[in-house]
Amino acid sequence: MSVSGGLVDTFGRVHRDLRISLTDRCNLRCTYCMPAEGVPWIPRPELLTTDEIVNLAEVFARLGIVEMRLTGGEPLLRPDVVDVVRRLAAIRGERGPLRISITTNGIGLVKLAQPLADAGLERFNISLDTLRPDRFSALTRRDRLDDVLAGIEAARATGLKPLKINTVAMRDTNDDELVDLVRFAQQHEAQLRFIEQMPLDAGHIWSRVKMVTGKEILETLSGEFSLEPCEGRGSDPAQRFVVDGGPTTVGVIASVTAPFCGSCDRVRLTADGQLRNCLFAREESDLRSLLRSGASVDDIEAMIRASVTAKRAGHGIDDPGFLQPDRPMSAIGG
């Protein structure tokens, strides 16, 4: 059992997973995330130091968090990312050492994949929205597809499994590559997860019409593959299917059309130390200021519990009064 009891909200959801954004900076400019010129970066003095990240992680581990996913922006841009992984992996929670994974665009993995694995990383999640160089350049405004593919190979070479590839499905952008991407995953012994495009772009130009729904994704894939549903989804955001009898699986994260809020076990810590109890939350709890004021562990725990207690039943995208978060995904962390 955790020292202070678990993080349970008023709907009975037990929170075990913390997403930690290491930076809001990114070396891509994906059209569905930020404008070509980028967005104003968080001033460096406002970013959590590594000691502060570790201190907060220890508190979260006391409260029952057992898994931490490092995100961005692009987390590999943080110069001490390997040290962050090493120090977090050394923290023990109620189920032993914390399980540490990372979501990355893959560009830095040729140099960092093995050092991260040696530091205690458990899993890579790598973003890949297209296999076509011209389309990749148009979508990300950078000519870096070869670097991403090399990063996937480097991650695969570490032997860490499962290797996960994330793809945002977009109409008239990459929806004609869904089958090709599954075949790529089969060839690289990876788990592919298609994600419905969510209203988290910096320009607030998200359109439901542009989004490819989970149902459409499965209809397309079923025309080429045999898909057998996996059992035991639990709190996994992806509904997974075994492809052609295995071993490859494909998942669909239908956050918009088939939300899984009822089983959500995640909270998020932004790079500047703000706690968010939902990806789409418009309220944040300022753990950085509390920490830097010399607050006690009990005070920090109390703020974390209050944030989780205030978590709503769902993200409310379909509610008439839904407002997109002020922060884009690059600043929130995935």
Side-chain angles (χ1 to χ4, degrees):
M1 293 294 292
S2 62
V3 174
S4 305
L7 288 173
V8 185
D9 65 19
T10 56
F11 301 95
R13 295 171 295 198
V14 181
H15 294 73
R16 302 287 192 184
D17 187 330
L18 174 66
R19 308 293 170 91
I20 303 176
S21 174
L22 297 185
T23 179
D24 62 328
R25 288 160 172 77
C26 189
N27 42 13
L28 299 178
R29 296 291 182 271
C30 296
T31 56
Y32 58 81
C33 185
M34 65 176 72
E37 65 275 13
V39 295
W41 304 129
I42 299 170
R44 291 191 183 277
E46 296 181 12
L47 298 176
L48 292 177
T49 67
T50 298
D51 285 344
E52 288 171 337
I53 291 173
V54 173
N55 288 342
L56 288 174
E58 290 173 342
V59 177
F60 277 103
R62 284 170 50 90
L63 293 173
I65 293 293
V66 299
E67 179 174 356
M68 296 185 180
R69 173 96 64 84
L70 305 181
T71 68
E74 172 45 51
L76 300 187
L77 292 181
R78 187 170 178 119
D80 63 346
V81 61
V82 174
D83 187 47
V84 172
V85 169
R86 181 178 295 109
R87 294 181 65 181
L88 293 180
I91 298 172
R92 296 188 67 85
E94 63 182 50
R95 298 180 183 176
L98 294 179
R99 301 173 59 192
I100 310 300
S101 58
I102 196 165
T103 294
T104 169
N105 61 30
I107 289 175
L109 285 179
V110 168
K111 292 183 178 179
L112 290 173
Q114 193 59 55
L116 287 168
D118 294 341
L121 191 77
E122 180 177 293
R123 189 180 74 246
F124 296 98
N125 287 49
I126 303 174
S127 299
L128 179 66
D129 294 327
T130 178
L131 297 168
R132 302 181 186 181
D134 58 337
R135 186 172 284 179
F136 185 93
S137 296
L139 185 58
T140 67
R141 304 184 179 102
R142 299 291 188 271
D143 184 16
R144 305 297 297 271
L145 178 59
D146 287 346
D147 295 320
V148 175
L149 297 179
I152 291 173
E153 291 293 346
R156 184 183 177 192
T158 67
L160 296 184
K161 293 183 178 180
L163 171 62
K164 294 186 177 182
I165 295 175
N166 298 333
T167 299
V168 178
M170 294 163 282
R171 197 175 311 285
D172 301 326
T173 299
N174 65 350
D175 53 338
D176 58 344
E177 289 189 73
L178 305 186
V179 170
D180 292 340
L181 285 159
V182 173
R183 297 200 189 283
F184 177 87
Q186 288 178 312
Q187 294 164 4
H188 291 79
E189 301 176 297
Q191 292 185 10
L192 182 63
R193 304 196 305 174
F194 289 108
I195 304 170
E196 288 183 343
Q197 187 179 0
M198 294 178 282
L200 291 166
D201 58 295
H204 290 202
I205 60 174
W206 175 84
S207 167
R208 190 179 293 268
V209 174
K210 185 76 172 176
M211 179 189 71
V212 181
T213 68
K215 181 180 179 181
E216 291 175 292
I217 293 168
L218 291 175
E219 288 174 349
T220 297
L221 298 183
S222 295
E224 294 288 334
F225 306 102
S226 169
L227 302 179
E228 183 68 26
C230 297
E231 296 182 0
R233 177 175 178 177
S235 61
D236 191 337
Q239 180 185 10
R240 295 193 303 121
F241 300 84
V242 176
V243 181
D244 289 343
T248 300
T249 63
V250 63
V252 175
I253 301 178
S255 302
V256 178
T257 62
F260 40 87
C261 303
S263 60
C264 179
D265 67 346
R266 290 168 294 285
V267 289
R268 289 171 168 79
L269 182 65
T270 67
D272 57 349
Q274 307 303 303
L275 179 62
R276 301 174 62 89
N277 57 26
C278 175
L279 185 60
F280 297 94
R282 294 184 60 82
E283 305 83 17
E284 298 177 334
S285 299
D286 189 357
L287 292 179
R288 183 196 67 220
S289 293
L290 193 64
L291 186 64
R292 291 182 180 179
S293 71
S296 68
V297 170
D298 288 344
D299 289 337
I300 295 171
E301 284 190 5
M303 180 174 282
I304 294 171
R305 289 186 182 280
S307 174
V308 171
T309 298
K311 186 168 182 173
R312 295 174 178 148
H315 54 50
I317 290 178
D318 288 327
D319 295 345
F322 174 78
L323 293 174
Q324 184 171 330
D326 293 328
R327 293 206 201 212
M329 177 69 100
S330 60
I332 294 173

